[in-house]
Each structure stands twice: as C-alpha cells, then as structure tokens.
Amino acid sequence: QTLAAASTLSSLMSIVRAINLVLPEIEVHLAGASIDGQLVLNLRSTLVDPEVKVELVGRGYLRWLEEENPEWDYEKSTPCTNQAVYVSKTQNFHIKDGWLDSGVHTFDFHFTFPPNIPSTFTSKIGCISYFVQGTCCSSQVVLAKEERCLLLQGTAGDRGRHVKDTAPLVVEVRKDVVYFCCFRRGSVTLRISLEKNIFCPSDTIVFMTDIANRTCKYVRKVIFALHCIVLYRGFSSRGEPRSLEDRSEVTRLESRPDTAPFEAMRVTSALVLPKPMPVTSTLMENKIMAFRYELVGTSDLPCTTSTIVVRVPIIIAA
C-alpha cells in the first residue's frame, strides 16, 4: 500500500508541467490600489478534481534577543517576538466539470490592497512583506506552487496632525573647541535650514547648511544622512511586553566644503528619498513597529576627537 500511495503521489506531481504568475509591471504598489494578474497552469495530462487558487498575503514579524539580567553571573538571553497580519485574501477558481484537460489554462485574478497597511520594510530586527502565491492542488496534495514578492508603499498616517510642520525649519548647533597645543579656543556652528520638513517617498530633500568656522583649522567634511528610527514592540516568552528602539541609515551624502579658518559659508545639498519607505507612524497604526525620521548632519572638528551633530526631525507622509 505504501508503494502504491507513493506511485500515485508521484503520478500526480508529474501532471503539472509548469505554474506561473503573470503580474503587471508595477515597481511599487500603493496601499488602497488594486492588482490584476493571471495564474498560468501548464498540464501534461488530465487533472481530476483540481483546486486552483491565488492568495494575497501581507504580514510583519520581528525578533530580537534581550539579556534577562545583567547582574547574573551567567549569560542568559530571551527572545522577544511579535507578528501581525496586514492582509490575507484568497481567490479560489471554479473548475467546470471538475477536471482540467492537458495543455495551458489561464486564470484571471483581482485583489485590492487595504488602504491602511504599512510599507514593505526589512531590518535586522523585523520585516514587513507582501506576496502573491498561486497554488494547484488535487486530493489535498499540493502539486505546484509559485510565490512572487511585492513592493508596497503604505499611505497610513494622519496627515492632519502634520499641518503645523509645513513651516520652514531651522536647527542650529554650536560646539566649542580648545586646542591645548597652541592654547587657543574656538567654535564651530552648523545650521541646517529647510523650507519644509514633510516629504513623500521618492521626493528630494533640499536643504541649506551654514558653517561658521571660528577655529584656526579647516572644516573639511560634513556628512548628511537620513536616519530611520524604529520602535519595535514585542513580547518575551513569558508574555511580558518589551520594546526596542533601533536606528538605521536610509540614505547619505558626503560634502567637502573646506571651510577656511575664521570664515563662514553656505552649502546647498539634496538627498533623494527611496520608494517604498515606511511613513511616519505610531505603534497603534502599524501594530508592531513605529517609524520616525531625522536628517542628521555630522562633522569631525579639526584636530580634535570631538564631533558636532545636528538633528532635524523629518516627517515622511504619503
């Protein structure tokens, strides 16, 4: 009986020559938009009692290790995890007469993304992913399956709460310097100015940086970077709530102004935002992750180990 069952299963598996998902050539899909595609099934022979379906799935997952008690004499870490389902839709196809003849069969499918779902996102701690999966079964045996990942741009977030942030924004930081080798003092001031601080994915952030160098050395380099700060919410193995904040770099630009001693200059720079990217949000909106952004300007002070850092809050809305 075991050999007969294995032979039957092998015979079933060999019926499907190929299974393919045909999707529109859209690089990034938008939350609330629709997706139309086809599932193409190529059979070597007749398939009786087939089950053909396409699924749209979007989910988030996070995991990190947390030291339980740093005062203990031994190391013990506990995993903190959490997950969320953002979309789960299935389209089952009706098979007329309960069988499919050999050859190519095409099935059209249509899905609409929910409007309030987050963007595709991946980090060392968590991810948010979306995919379409086509499956062909018979007698509850999976004969063929294909999965295609989708990039999705979320549009969640309350734009109304950001209205006050449309005004120009200026952030200034000054750092004093003492040069013991020549017994001199000085300072460096960085001021970053933006006409607005609300941007959309794929926008270009144009900003001006004023550098006031009141030292006897050159200010050679300023590095600008957009940082994404993510607050993760998970649970320990005992069900206790845990949170972790992590910072990553989205995009960066290196500027070499070479500001001379006791001089001031202005530099205009631009950073291009990627798409997709998570919008500024709260834990309530994304369930397991919250996102915020900072435009950070950093410069090493000449002939010292000190660094001057300017942080400008940026809002990503879509």
Side-chain angles (χ1 to χ4, degrees):
Q1 289 182 343
T2 303
L3 290 175
S7 177
T8 302
L9 178 59
S10 176
S11 177
L12 276 173
M13 298 290 288
S14 64
I15 290 178
V16 180
R17 178 178 281 113
I19 183 171
N20 295 292
L21 285 167
V22 180
L23 301 177
E25 294 184 0
I26 299 175
E27 185 177 355
V28 179
H29 300 267
L30 288 178
S34 298
I35 178 172
D36 295 282
Q38 293 180 326
L39 175 66
V40 181
L41 195 61
N42 190 345
L43 302 179
R44 288 190 175 90
S45 58
T46 300
L47 179 60
V48 179
D49 193 25
E51 299 174 34
V52 183
K53 64 180 179 179
V54 176
E55 299 169 273
L56 173 64
V57 179
R59 56 196 177 201
Y61 178 79
L62 58 88
R63 184 182 189 276
W64 75 88
L65 293 176
E66 189 174 272
E67 188 176 351
E68 285 204 359
N69 193 333
E71 298 180 356
W72 288 349
D73 294 334
Y74 59 92
E75 294 184 2
K76 184 178 180 181
S77 298
T78 181
C80 300
T81 61
N82 204 350
Q83 57 186 339
V85 176
Y86 299 111
V87 56
S88 180
K89 298 183 178 183
T90 303
Q91 187 170 337
N92 294 285
F93 300 104
H94 173 70
I95 309 300
K96 188 178 180 180
D97 300 327
W99 59 276
L100 290 173
D101 201 355
S102 61
V104 178
H105 302 270
T106 301
F107 304 90
D108 298 324
F109 63 86
H110 172 89
F111 290 113
T112 299
F113 294 102
N116 298 318
I117 55 177
S119 304
T120 300
F121 173 76
T122 302
S123 74
K124 61 184 179 182
I125 296 172
C127 70
I128 298 173
S129 60
Y130 298 88
F131 62 89
V132 172
Q133 179 176 274
T135 310
C136 176
C137 306
S138 181
S139 303
Q140 297 184 339
V141 176
V142 177
L143 305 181
K145 180 190 297 184
E146 186 183 32
E147 181 179 301
R148 297 278 295 276
C149 293
L150 305 174
L151 292 179
L152 186 127
Q153 174 60 58
T155 58
D158 181 10
R159 288 184 64 92
R161 73 171 186 258
H162 301 318
V163 171
K164 66 180 184 301
D165 299 302
T166 56
L169 181 65
V170 178
V171 177
E172 179 179 295
V173 173
R174 169 178 164 163
K175 189 91 170 185
D176 293 326
V177 185
V178 178
Y179 294 101
F180 293 103
C181 59
C182 52
F183 303 101
R184 300 190 65 173
R185 293 176 177 270
S187 67
V188 174
T189 302
L190 288 183
R191 182 169 62 246
I192 296 180
S193 308
L194 295 91
E195 292 186 358
K196 61 176 184 177
N197 73 326
I198 298 182
F199 300 91
C200 295
S202 75
D203 277 357
T204 299
I205 302 177
V206 179
F207 56 96
M208 291 178 294
T209 305
D210 292 290
I211 307 169
N213 182 13
R214 296 293 178 259
T215 71
C216 57
K217 307 292 183 180
Y218 277 81
V219 176
R220 298 290 186 185
K221 181 173 67 174
V222 182
I223 296 176
F224 303 102
L226 181 68
H227 288 190
C228 177
I229 302 100
V230 188
L231 177 64
Y232 299 94
R233 179 174 63 183
F235 295 92
S236 68
S237 56
R238 293 187 293 269
E240 300 166 333
R242 292 287 188 268
S243 62
L244 175 68
E245 188 171 275
D246 185 62
R247 178 184 295 264
S248 61
E249 194 175 278
V250 178
T251 183
R252 66 186 279 138
L253 170 70
E254 185 176 300
S255 176
R256 294 188 173 273
D258 284 333
T259 308
F262 304 103
E263 286 194 1
M265 68 182 305
R266 170 170 288 185
V267 179
T268 301
S269 308
L271 285 172
V272 180
L273 298 179
K275 187 178 181 179
M277 64 184 301
V279 299
T280 301
S281 58
T282 64
L283 281 172
M284 184 177 296
E285 291 166 332
N286 288 346
K287 301 178 182 178
I288 61 176
M289 307 179 197
F291 297 90
R292 61 187 179 90
Y293 295 88
E294 285 181 346
L295 174 62
V296 181
T298 306
S299 180
D300 294 331
L301 298 183
C303 299
T304 72
T305 58
S306 300
T307 301
I308 183 170
V309 181
V310 184
R311 302 184 185 276
V312 184
I314 297 294
I315 294 169
I316 304 298

